[in-house]
Amino acid sequence: MTITEINVKNFKSLYDVSFQPGKVNVFIGANGSGKSTILEAIGILSAAMTDRVNNNVLQRKGIRLSTSSLYKSKFKTMKREGLTVDMGIQWVDEEKYDYTVHLTTPTDDDAWKYHSESVNQEGNLLWGRSNRSFALLNHNIGYFMVTETLNGHRCRKMGQYIEKYGIYQPDTPTLRGIVADTTQVSPIGLNGGRMADALKEILKSTDGDMKLGTLYVEDILDMIDWASGFDITAPKKANLNPGVPSTRQVIEFKDRFLKANATFTGYDASEGALYVLFMLCLAMHPESPSMFAIDSFDHALNPRLAKRLTEIFSQLMLESHRTVFMTTHNPLVLDGLDLCNDDIRLFAVSRNKDGYAVLNRIQVSKELLESGQPLSRLWINGRLGGVPELI
Amino acid sequence: MRKMIGIVGEGPTDYMVIKEVIDHITGEANEYRRLQPEPDMAGRFGNGWKGVWKWCETNSGVLDKVLHEVTPQIDLLVIQMDADVSRKEREVHCLCGSVGCEAREVSHPLRCAKVTEGQCPVILPCSMHVQDAGGYEEHLRELIRQWLGICANNEDVLITIPCDSTDAWIVAAYQDCDDVEKIENPWESVIAR
Ligand SMILES: [Zn+2]
């Protein structure tokens, strides 16, 4: 199953945007360019296709709530305001499919209303609804996943694939277990909650070697230079200040420079180490979403770590057939992307003269990358776009 | 047809003006990339005429790749440097050879200690060029081609040398005189008037 196109119309700065994603998709752009809005639009698409769109669902997916009027595009140059927010996704699963939904933003309550919804197979209508033809349907609910017409149909697989989509944005206090994750999602919260438990679930000893998911712990520790080991335990008085509120499990690191029995918890550990574990857990936990987004992938990463983690993370995404959409401000993240692999795609987001967000896929020849012009440099020098113009 | 245009220029104002001028001439809302060298560790050479110089030298070997092997491709590269650089800056005359200098063989003009110490022997105005707007322009145009390693008939690159600077163009737009771009030292002859 391959997603071939995502399109969005009339949503915030995305007046009319479509793009062909790969499996690992990275968006760069100046602040306010609309790159986070793309992550949100995909969230609304996933909610609309598989459930419904209201504040509760949006919050669960990590989408910033706005007042209703701000969801729709508003530009001076628009002849008239569009009536609906339109989203669509196309994919190939032996045959070509597309799903399209037109929504009206909330008026009296927080529920977005379905104006129309349809799914095509090879361009022929498989199923569809509109608020004219099916007056009996509940306009607050999506029917793609529940209509009997599609029961057992292959097209439902895309619904299952994007159902658990959420925008992850881990923050340090939550990763350290000292702040509760308000967006608690299994297996791991959008802000990093429940990380210790989730790690424990994929931490296994095989033939005397510790493995986290498919990776040897030894190799992970190579990225986190200062740690010689880590484990997940119930909090003990010995390793945690009793004044620190904590979750049921804590991550316990062993510092290679301290004596063997000295351990300390995630509360003391460096941000970078926790962030690496979070990303690896998200990438390898069997219950983590098959499609998700990360806003600011570079958070808390030093340059060397940013490049290395990007390489490993991309590889894990491809191996597990997951799809990720992420934003970054860190040029070194780009150097970890193998753009020669067509599944790994880079997009620059900018605003055109009228203020509409414009997306460009960036491809760079291998020869150029190898001639002393890595992606980080091309980005900093302005060649890729996705930078503030007037500095 | 809309084009993707790269602009290497001295500063943000030049960039804005050149964008508007090109859109006006072509009658299109073209897409632009502002290309700039990254400043060095001391924060130098990221913009200004030294930045343009550095960009050209850094990209000379890979210019064709930088323009055409990144999507979206750049259809036209515009390089801007103000004509007053030729009138005012000793470094750009280092290689003219109008005077002898032992540092010429060993130091890059942008990093020459003689310049920072105020010992650069270059005499301004440099005797190797015609001393008018056209002369300055010809000097800098040829210099930029050398830095980039391109010939005069390269169709990907457009070199623009506003006289005396892009800012002066704006004032010229409000002035009602002929051949305004050929007026030498427009600061005094047009703007201050
Ligand atoms: Zn000279």
Side-chain angles (χ1 to χ4, degrees):
Chain A
M1 200 162 57
T2 308
I3 299 172
T4 49
E5 186 175 298
I6 290 175
N7 51 70
V8 182
K9 274 189 186 159
N10 208 22
F11 177 65
K12 296 187 179 177
S13 58
L14 311 179
Y15 179 57
D16 186 359
V17 158
S18 66
F19 66 103
Q20 289 75 45
K23 296 284 191 295
V24 175
N25 304 283
V26 177
F27 299 90
I28 56 173
N31 287 330
S33 57
K35 56 187 192 303
S36 299
T37 309
I38 292 165
L39 308 187
E40 293 184 335
I42 301 169
I44 288 174
L45 172 67
S46 92
M49 190 173 178
T50 62
D51 186 5
R52 67 197 69 196
V53 188
N54 60 32
N55 285 357
N56 181 18
V57 174
L58 295 182
Q59 209 151 21
R60 213 167 60 220
K61 290 186 174 293
I63 297 166
R64 291 167 297 179
L65 300 177
S66 311
T67 54
S68 178
S69 61
L70 295 179
Y71 285 121
K72 277 197 283 185
S73 297
K74 276 202 174 48
F75 297 105
K76 280 186 211 144
T77 50
M78 274 168 58
K79 289 193 185 68
R80 62 189 177 88
E81 211 177 299
L83 292 172
T84 55
V85 171
D86 305 341
M87 314 244 170
I89 181 168
Q90 298 172 16
W91 70 97
V92 174
D93 187 6
E94 290 185 355
E95 292 185 88
K96 279 197 261 183
Y97 294 92
D98 65 84
Y99 168 89
T100 307
V101 62
H102 295 192
L103 300 157
T104 51
T105 53
T107 44
D108 40 356
D109 54 8
D110 69 337
W112 296 46
K113 309 263 185 302
Y114 287 76
H115 184 266
S116 64
E117 198 183 8
S118 64
V119 55
N120 290 295
Q121 181 177 20
E122 292 291 334
N124 303 313
L125 186 70
L126 267 183
W127 168 83
R129 72 189 272 199
S130 81
N131 62 358
R132 274 184 300 265
S133 54
F134 290 93
L136 292 176
L137 295 181
N138 182 337
H139 295 320
N140 296 350
I141 295 175
Y143 279 82
F144 174 69
M145 292 301 272
V146 292
T147 178
E148 282 182 13
T149 319
L150 298 177
N151 276 356
H153 199 284
R154 198 181 186 99
C155 68
R156 282 266 170 84
K157 277 169 66 189
M158 183 47 76
Q160 288 150 7
Y161 190 76
I162 75 170
E163 197 161 32
K164 287 174 75 182
Y165 177 94
I167 304 170
Y168 289 84
Q169 210 170 5
D171 64 65
T172 311
T174 315
L175 289 173
R176 285 185 169 154
I178 55 175
V179 167
D181 194 331
T182 50
T183 66
Q184 195 67 43
V185 180
S186 170
I188 189 163
L190 297 179
N191 297 336
R194 208 186 165 273
M195 175 153 91
D197 300 79
L199 283 171
K200 195 183 171 93
E201 286 153 13
I202 58 167
L203 195 61
K204 287 187 184 66
S205 164
T206 29
D207 305 328
D209 284 318
M210 287 301 282
K211 282 180 101 174
L212 184 73
T214 55
L215 298 178
Y216 285 103
V217 166
E218 192 98 335
D219 295 336
I220 298 171
L221 292 168
D222 274 350
M223 281 197 281
I224 314 167
D225 327 301
W226 52 266
S228 63
F230 67 87
D231 203 356
I232 317 296
T233 61
K236 303 188 283 274
K237 280 217 172 96
N239 57 21
L240 190 71
N241 179 334
V244 179
S246 181
T247 40
R248 278 184 304 123
Q249 304 279 339
V250 293
I251 306 160
E252 202 176 84
F253 290 94
K254 291 182 184 63
D255 191 318
R256 65 174 54 158
F257 305 109
L258 294 176
K259 53 181 192 262
N261 60 350
T263 58
F264 52 93
T265 65
Y267 178 64
D268 313 285
S270 90
E271 290 183 273
L274 292 169
Y275 194 80
V276 167
L277 291 180
F278 174 86
M279 287 304 160
L280 297 179
C281 187
L282 188 56
M284 293 188 290
H285 198 290
E287 274 149 51
S288 72
S290 25
M291 181 163 128
F292 58 88
I294 301 167
D295 207 359
S296 298
F297 183 80
D298 41 87
H299 179 87
L301 296 174
N302 68 47
R304 192 186 63 100
L305 202 52
K307 178 169 187 264
R308 187 76 190 107
L309 182 61
T310 308
E311 287 167 354
I312 294 176
F313 185 81
S314 308
Q315 197 52 45
L316 292 171
M317 288 292 105
L318 300 184
E319 282 168 10
S320 62
H321 306 289
R322 286 190 167 92
T323 300
V324 65
F325 301 87
M326 56 206 214
T327 65
T328 185
H329 291 103
N330 187 336
L332 276 308
V333 165
L334 302 201
D335 288 342
L337 295 174
D338 175 15
L339 288 195
C340 297
N341 182 338
D342 196 41
D343 286 330
I344 299 178
R345 300 190 181 184
L346 176 63
F347 299 89
V349 188
S350 56
R351 300 287 194 108
N352 72 7
K353 256 191 171 156
D354 297 322
Y356 307 167
V358 180
L359 244 82
N360 279 310
R361 179 177 173 193
I362 294 167
Q363 288 171 286
V364 179
S365 75
K366 201 163 181 259
E367 291 73 27
L368 180 58
L369 294 174
E370 286 169 356
S371 60
Q373 297 276 341
L375 281 167
S376 54
R377 166 172 275 178
L378 290 168
W379 187 17
I380 293 168
N381 289 359
R383 179 59 185 91
L384 306 184
V387 284
E389 284 190 319
L390 299 180
I391 289 183
Chain B
M1 214 183 75
R2 295 185 56 187
K3 296 260 191 277
M4 171 66 88
I5 296 167
I7 299 177
V8 180
E10 291 195 30
T13 328
D14 302 292
Y15 174 72
M16 293 309 288
V17 171
I18 292 169
K19 259 170 71 159
E20 291 303 323
V21 167
I22 296 174
D23 277 359
H24 184 78
I25 294 173
T26 59
E28 295 272 0
N30 298 287
E31 209 179 328
Y32 295 90
R33 291 283 179 269
R34 183 174 174 213
L35 305 175
Q36 268 181 293
E38 58 218 286
D40 68 4
M41 301 297 270
R44 295 175 305 175
F45 314 143
N47 54 31
W49 60 273
K50 293 179 181 176
V52 176
W53 188 338
K54 187 185 165 198
W55 191 94
C56 292
E57 284 191 344
T58 329
N59 287 276
S60 65
V62 289
L63 184 66
D64 198 52
K65 288 188 173 70
V66 168
L67 298 185
H68 304 302
E69 295 188 10
V70 178
T71 62
Q73 284 194 38
I74 285 180
D75 303 307
L76 176 69
L77 178 69
V78 175
I79 299 183
Q80 170 263 334
M81 186 180 278
D82 288 342
D84 64 358
V85 171
S86 175
R87 196 158 54 82
K88 293 182 193 158
E89 311 292 348
R90 288 188 163 79
E91 290 96 317
V92 292
H93 297 283
C94 176
L95 301 175
C96 294
S98 59
V99 291
C101 179
E102 70 276 14
R104 186 176 295 135
E105 301 296 318
V106 289
S107 300
H108 188 284
L110 283 180
R111 287 175 289 273
C112 183
K114 280 191 178 283
V115 176
T116 44
E117 288 159 9
Q119 303 293 317
C120 176
V122 167
I123 300 158
L124 294 177
C126 173
S127 60
M128 308 301 278
H129 325 282
V130 180
Q131 296 307 313
D132 63 15
Y136 305 140
E137 192 203 320
E138 197 42 47
H139 167 225
L140 294 180
R141 192 181 293 278
E142 190 44 47
L143 207 53
I144 289 171
R145 285 192 192 117
Q146 270 177 36
W147 294 336
L148 272 176
I150 58 168
C151 4
N153 58 10
N154 186 310
E155 291 187 342
D156 291 335
V157 183
L158 182 84
I159 299 170
T160 174
I161 314 286
C163 176
D164 224 9
S165 63
T166 322
D167 318 42
W169 278 2
I170 303 176
V171 179
Y174 294 97
Q175 281 290 325
D176 199 16
C177 44
D178 295 331
D179 287 340
V180 71
E181 72 278 9
K182 293 192 179 141
I183 299 172
E184 256 179 90
N185 201 352
W187 293 108
E188 278 159 33
S189 43
V190 181
I191 299 165
R193 209 165 56 183

